[in-house]
Amino acid sequence: MKGKALSWLVISVCGGLGLPIRSADAVEPLPASRRIAAEIVRTLTVSTDPPMRMPTDVAVDRAGRVFVADGVQNRIVRFTSDGRFDRALSEAGGRAFKRPVGLTVDAADRLWIADTGNSRVVVLGPDGKTVETIDLPAPAGGRPVNATDVAVTADGALAYIVDSENHRLIVRDNPSRGVTFLGRFGPAIGQFEWPFMACIGPGGYVYVSEVIGSRVQRIAIPERWAGQEAPPGGFGVALGQLYRPKGVAVDDRGRVYVTDSTVNVVQVFGPRGEMLGALVDGGGLPVRFRHPMGMAFDAEGMLYVVELGADRVAVVSLRGPSSAASSPAASAPVRPKGERP
């Protein structure tokens, strides 16, 4: 990665369309062209003691097992493919988890865990056994690494680790175990203001949400054109703007789904940053989530949305019956967080 220019695209700091989506009492449906049909078909939660509390991220393997970062309880919760609580994972490599925040499953069904409080990334095999632990020392003169998420390329060669506190990405070459770094503090393209979550989409593009920067940036592979900066507009609560973006997921067509934990909706943007719309119910009103965080798609195209404020994961069908069914961002095959070949 060193010495190679990367292209960047700000895909979600767009001028608002004048359609407020902040109010929970909104009675006006979105325009038909901005509706992406969606329906919450089930929820995943833990009712046994201790219950799941303030979860942050989710990942799904090819067997349909669902993993949820339950950082308040210092564990990872696993559900079976039919939504039943299976088990809790509380340690790896002989060391207890400490506030794990981000998750992804790679193409080999290995679970990558951003173990935030321990400044490390843990890799577990499909059998739940520890494959590797990656300790992340603080940069010289910097703060301890605050690893809030991790995304892995389809071939498993690179891992992009979000270091929120130091406003950068740690890019790890997995075969050699060497690391390089992308970004520094700032509002410009190629800089970050508290990056939080990441995913990888078609073509190897890396998408990173910024909580305070109120945007999502797309990073292209070396020497690939990544489009242009979206129209300026800053943050906000109107359709097409972001206030506190958290989770990001991308489907096979490069459409970017972004959770906003203040507005409590999921918005969808096109591959070049163009606004497509928001997830809506049968009446055209935005589907309201309770402090939505991380997201992931399963192999069947279901979208899993973590609701921190409801202590659960909402399983969302994008094939729901509504006038939005013909929306350009409606039903499509998708890949999980770590793009599969």
Side-chain angles (χ1 to χ4, degrees), residues 88-175:
L89 310 173
S90 59
E91 64 88 26
R95 190 176 177 187
F97 291 128
K98 186 177 181 181
R99 300 191 307 276
V101 171
L103 301 173
T104 195
V105 172
D106 67 17
D109 270 349
R110 293 173 298 194
L111 178 67
W112 294 66
I113 303 167
D115 191 13
T116 309
N118 283 321
S119 295
R120 67 174 182 169
V121 169
V122 173
V123 186
L124 302 181
D127 58 1
K129 296 181 179 180
T130 302
V131 174
E132 185 179 10
T133 59
I134 305 167
D135 290 313
L136 303 167
R143 297 175 180 271
V145 171
N146 189 33
T148 54
D149 203 11
V150 58
V152 183
T153 55
D155 60 5
L158 295 175
Y160 292 84
I161 302 166
V162 180
D163 180 5
S164 181
E165 193 70 22
N166 292 293
H167 312 285
R168 65 181 184 172
L169 294 182
I170 301 172
V171 185
R172 183 179 191 260
D173 182 274
N174 291 325

Side-chain angles (χ1 to χ4, degrees), residues 101-310:
V101 171
L103 301 173
T104 195
V105 172
D106 67 17
D109 270 349
R110 293 173 298 194
L111 178 67
W112 294 66
I113 303 167
D115 191 13
T116 309
N118 283 321
S119 295
R120 67 174 182 169
V121 169
V122 173
V123 186
L124 302 181
D127 58 1
K129 296 181 179 180
T130 302
V131 174
E132 185 179 10
T133 59
I134 305 167
D135 290 313
L136 303 167
R143 297 175 180 271
V145 171
N146 189 33
T148 54
D149 203 11
V150 58
V152 183
T153 55
D155 60 5
L158 295 175
Y160 292 84
I161 302 166
V162 180
D163 180 5
S164 181
E165 193 70 22
N166 292 293
H167 312 285
R168 65 181 184 172
L169 294 182
I170 301 172
V171 185
R172 183 179 191 260
D173 182 274
N174 291 325
S176 71
R177 301 188 178 185
V179 297
T180 54
F181 307 93
L182 292 176
R184 57 186 175 86
F185 179 75
I189 298 174
Q191 299 176 345
F192 295 111
E193 292 181 293
W194 283 272
F196 188 61
M197 288 188 168
C199 69
I200 297 176
Y205 290 110
V206 182
Y207 297 81
V208 184
S209 66
E210 292 176 70
V211 176
I212 304 302
S214 301
R215 63 183 179 178
V216 172
Q217 290 195 65
R218 184 180 75 174
I219 308 168
I221 59 177
E223 302 174 356
R224 276 282 300 270
W225 177 74
Q228 61 186 8
E229 184 178 354
F235 73 97
V237 297
L239 183 65
Q241 296 179 324
L242 293 175
Y243 194 83
R244 288 292 181 262
K246 296 292 178 61
V248 58
V250 183
D251 68 22
D252 275 354
R253 300 181 185 181
R255 295 172 297 197
V256 185
Y257 297 71
V258 184
T259 62
D260 194 308
S261 63
T262 295
V263 180
N264 293 321
V265 301
V266 175
Q267 295 193 70
V268 184
F269 298 85
R272 297 184 180 178
E274 66 273 23
M275 180 64 202
L276 296 180
L279 302 190
V280 300
D281 60 22
L285 294 175
V287 176
R288 297 289 177 181
F289 300 92
R290 292 179 60 186
H291 206 97
M293 301 289 284
M295 293 181 292
F297 285 107
D298 69 12
E300 302 301 319
M302 302 295 283
L303 178 63
Y304 292 68
V305 182
V306 174
E307 294 186 83
L308 180 144

Side-chain angles (χ1 to χ4, degrees), residues 9-40:
L9 171 66
V10 177
I11 61 169
S12 58
V13 179
C14 304
L17 302 179
L19 301 168
I21 54 175
R22 173 69 181 90
S23 173
D25 299 321
V27 294
E28 292 295 325
L30 297 186
S33 62
R34 301 297 180 185
R35 302 178 189 177
I36 293 103
E39 179 184 7
I40 298 176

